[in-house]
Amino acid sequence: MKAVIRPSKAYGSVKIPPSKSMAHRAIICAALADGESVVSNIDYSVDISTTIDCMRKLGAEIECSETEVKIRGIKDFDGIKDTHIECNESGSTLRFLIPLFSLTGRKITFTGKNRLLKRPQKIYEEIFAGAGLLFEQTEEKIEIQGALPAKKYTLSGGVSSQFISGLLFTLPLLKEDSTINILPPFESRSYIDLTIQMMAKFGVEIMWQDELTLYIRGGQKYIAHNETVEGDFSQFAFFGVLSAVNSPVEIYGMNPESLQGDKQILQILSDFGCNVNYKDGIYKVCAENGLKAADIDLKNCPDLGPVLCTLAMFSKGTTHIDNANRLRIKESDRILAMQSECAKMDCKIEATENEMFINGGYSVPLQPLDGWKDHRIVMACAVALSVLGGEINGCEAVSKSYPSFFEDLEKVGIEVEFYD
């Protein structure tokens, strides 16, 4: 599907959808709790629907209504309904659930779409091999068999935190205690803290022994709990940047006390010269005196990468982004994707494996932009085109995380037309 966006002045207000990160975690915890939980403020993106389907296959009973799910969790792992687990494009779903499904003792086959099974899973491969368990990966599937044991685990802190979270969901259910030692440099700790926070709400305790060591007491049980999912700062970023480069809109639905790493967008916008104010539940972002380039560290907020390229494009000077290497192993190579699409808008991005240098400057694109089958590339480009005007191909990719993105864009005054 193609979207044609006309230069339009943004105005009004927008409610940000619930955090995908927190919704994954709440649904998994509720599905592991013997009893009924209600998870409210749910947005049925493809990723979240995928996690719901997978937890049903584990044996949880899940009833979906418009904005909430009622979940009757499993009593044990004997009630698994299916051993073929389709994860679509959701890296969170796949990495969170591999250790959990190992506890069934059954031979489990995980499948996915597009680049999912090309994304690295070496951490789990080594963990399963070290325990003498089956872990085989091809470009079509991953097969596992055998329950991960309680033990001392050592993981690199420089890879996705999703591997650590996957172990954290699983290890408390084993009889003995475990520890996870994280080798520095430790990136994306904020996502680990989100996992620990959500597990605590469902009655499972994880302890930091020191800055790099997690202690997991065995023999714990998840307890049913009703949870309302907070707003998503990674999605807030698109409208925060829209306010900065186009015209201010009021943004609500957020938790100012959130532990989300993507909350760093607030400081980044400030560093670029924006006034960022919060009052009565509403954020307002305004760049009255223009935008100036700044340095950005993506260590704890890699999902912000694409839209920060848009911010940098409209800023005076050269923006330096560090710790960008994980952008290369997302739904697309997001560094390459933004280099390509920003070049069409007359903005040059130079990159190494781990850094990006973005020279501010832009013009109306003379050819359509491509979404690279990546939701965040599409949304980042749409924000730019709200000022410049132009076309984006592949805009259906937003269904992965933010199905109503273009509807919300239209609600704040941006003119969009769609074509098959």
Side-chain angles (χ1 to χ4, degrees):
M1 187 167 63
K2 175 175 71 176
V4 176
I5 301 177
R6 293 180 175 83
S8 325
K9 184 177 180 179
Y11 63 88
S13 63
V14 62
K15 181 182 179 182
I16 300 301
S19 165
K20 188 161 67 83
S21 294
M22 297 302 275
H24 279 303
R25 289 161 169 79
I27 291 164
I28 290 169
C29 289
L32 295 172
D34 182 12
E36 185 173 282
S37 303
V38 177
V39 181
S40 305
N41 195 28
I42 289 290
D43 188 20
Y44 294 102
S45 64
V46 173
D47 281 9
I48 294 305
S49 297
T50 296
T51 290
I52 289 171
D53 289 343
C54 291
M55 298 316 288
R56 282 178 172 145
K57 289 183 177 182
L58 192 62
E61 298 175 12
I62 304 179
E63 178 184 338
C64 300
S65 59
E66 187 174 355
T67 60
E68 68 177 29
V69 292
K70 290 182 180 179
I71 302 175
R72 178 162 291 280
I74 64 173
K75 295 182 179 180
D76 53 46
F77 289 91
D78 295 334
I80 183 170
K81 306 295 185 185
D82 195 344
T83 59
H84 176 204
I85 311 303
E86 172 57 56
C87 296
N88 291 305
E89 290 186 84
S90 179
S92 295
T93 305
L94 177 65
R95 289 170 175 164
F96 288 169
L97 298 189
I98 283 175
L100 274 174
F101 274 80
S102 83
L103 299 188
T104 67
R106 306 276 294 277
K107 188 173 185 179
I108 307 293
T109 300
F110 294 93
T111 54
K113 293 183 172 62
N114 293 329
R115 283 168 52 100
L116 180 65
L117 293 180
K118 295 180 182 179
R119 295 166 71 173
Q121 312 297 336
K122 189 173 179 60
I123 296 292
Y124 282 153
E125 182 181 356
E126 292 175 349
I127 286 174
F128 274 74
L133 307 176
L134 173 69
F135 186 102
E136 293 182 353
Q137 179 174 0
T138 68
E139 291 191 1
E140 288 77 40
K141 63 184 178 180
I142 293 174
E143 290 186 331
I144 67 168
Q145 187 168 17
L148 287 176
K151 58 177 285 191
K152 294 181 179 179
Y153 289 90
T154 299
L155 278 73
S156 169
V159 296
S160 173
S161 63
Q162 293 165 352
F163 296 107
I164 299 172
S165 289
L167 291 174
L168 290 179
F169 286 126
T170 305
L171 296 176
L173 300 173
L174 304 178
K175 290 182 179 180
E176 284 103 28
D177 302 346
S178 301
T179 59
I180 300 175
N181 181 48
I182 302 163
L183 301 176
F186 185 11
E187 299 180 9
S188 296
R189 171 170 172 153
S190 59
Y191 287 98
I192 304 302
D193 289 334
L194 292 181
T195 301
I196 293 171
Q197 180 188 53
M198 187 60 72
M199 291 174 67
K201 292 181 178 182
F202 285 84
V204 176
E205 185 180 40
I206 305 292
M207 300 284 293
W208 285 101
Q209 285 187 330
D210 55 46
E211 287 297 308
L212 295 171
T213 308
L214 289 156
Y215 171 74
I216 303 101
R217 178 171 54 84
Q220 299 189 63
K221 292 184 177 180
Y222 289 84
I223 299 170
H225 163 77
N226 295 338
E227 176 67 15
T228 300
V229 180
E230 66 186 37
D232 194 328
F233 272 100
S234 65
Q235 313 297 32
F236 170 101
F238 296 103
F239 287 92
V241 172
L242 178 75
S243 294
V245 305
N246 186 311
S247 183
V249 298
E250 295 184 340
I251 308 170
Y252 65 100
M254 309 307 297
N255 172 17
E257 304 302 320
S258 174
L259 298 180
Q260 293 176 51
D262 291 331
K263 185 181 171 185
Q264 189 175 334
I265 185 62
L266 302 177
Q267 183 60 52
I268 291 171
L269 287 166
S270 179
D271 292 343
F272 273 72
C274 296
N275 294 318
V276 181
N277 297 308
Y278 180 79
K279 184 179 180 181
D280 298 330
I282 294 172
Y283 278 102
K284 293 182 180 179
V285 177
C286 182
E288 291 179 350
N289 299 315
L291 294 165
K292 63 182 190 301
D295 293 337
I296 301 169
D297 188 341
L298 288 185
K299 181 171 67 173
N300 284 310
C301 55
D303 284 343
L304 298 182
V307 76
L308 293 179
C309 292
T310 300
L311 179 65
M313 185 170 68
F314 287 90
S315 301
K316 184 178 180 180
T318 300
T319 296
H320 172 221
I321 299 180
D322 198 12
N323 288 309
N325 59 313
R326 297 224 318 273
L327 299 184
R328 295 197 181 276
I329 53 173
K330 296 291 186 176
E331 286 80 351
S332 68
D333 179 337
R334 288 179 175 167
I335 293 178
L336 181 62
M338 291 309 292
Q339 281 181 303
S340 171
E341 304 318 303
C342 287
K344 296 175 185 177
M345 295 179 279
D346 206 24
C347 174
K348 184 178 181 181
I349 299 178
E350 298 177 355
T352 66
E353 190 61 30
N354 199 38
E355 295 177 284
M356 302 172 73
F357 300 88
I358 306 166
N359 299 306
Y362 53 89
S363 65
V364 176
L366 300 180
Q367 57 182 304
L369 305 185
D370 188 82
W372 291 68
K373 298 182 179 179
D374 189 326
H375 53 134
R376 299 200 190 277
I377 301 300
V378 172
M379 292 187 281
C381 290
V383 171
L385 294 186
S386 75
V387 177
L388 304 177
E391 303 177 5
I392 311 175
N393 292 319
C395 60
E396 66 276 4
V398 300
S399 64
K400 184 177 191 295
S401 67
Y402 194 165
S404 62
F405 171 74
F406 283 103
E407 293 174 32
D408 286 350
L409 208 58
E410 290 179 294
K411 286 177 183 177
V412 296
I414 307 306
E415 297 179 28
V416 186
E417 290 187 16
F418 299 97
Y419 302 88
D420 290 334

